[in-house]
């Protein structure tokens, strides 16, 4: 079975798990990744700052990205007011 690693990045911080996970195939890996991400996102979103981003990636056994899920907090400039 293929080996995968999780990596989480936020701002300038990025860290990959040292422990590999085995999944039957890419579909099973995607399913697990979305479940793990869903469990984390509530806490992440509550603490996300404007113009910040958070990313979870699933890496293959050579530590190359296979899947990526991103959460981005974007602010838009205020419109110019003409009085």
């Amino acid at each position: 079975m293929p080996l995968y690693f999780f990596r989480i990045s936020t701002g300038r911080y990025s860290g990959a798990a040292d422990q590999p996970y085995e999944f039957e195939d890419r579909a099973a890996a995607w399913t697990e990744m979305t479940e793990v991400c869903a469990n984390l996102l509530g806490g992440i979103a509550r603490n996300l700052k404007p113009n910040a981003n958070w990313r979870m990636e699933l890496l293959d056994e050579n530590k190359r990205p296979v899947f990526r899920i991103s959460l981005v907090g974007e602010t838009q400039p205020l419109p110019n007011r003409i009085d």
Side-chain angles (χ1 to χ4, degrees):
M1 280 199 270
L3 297 176
Y4 296 92
F5 298 86
F6 286 97
R7 176 168 57 197
I8 293 178
S9 303
T10 181
R12 288 183 271 175
Y13 169 79
S14 178
D18 294 328
Q19 179 74 26
Y21 295 85
E22 284 186 327
F23 300 110
E24 185 175 315
D25 55 24
R26 286 172 65 103
W30 172 255
T31 298
E32 181 66 17
M33 182 181 176
T34 57
E35 288 177 10
V36 168
C37 190
N39 290 332
L40 296 174
L41 277 180
I44 302 293
R46 280 189 291 277
N47 295 309
L48 192 69
K49 304 292 183 219
N51 297 310
N53 63 66
W54 178 89
R55 178 174 67 225
M56 176 184 277
E57 294 174 301
L58 193 65
L59 312 174
D60 66 14
E61 55 194 33
N62 296 313
K63 304 250 176 133
R64 292 181 304 225
V66 177
F67 300 118
R68 178 180 298 131
I69 296 175
S70 299
L71 178 64
V72 179
E74 295 180 318
T75 59
Q76 300 297 315
L78 294 173
N80 292 333
R81 281 183 53 177
I82 301 175
D83 290 310

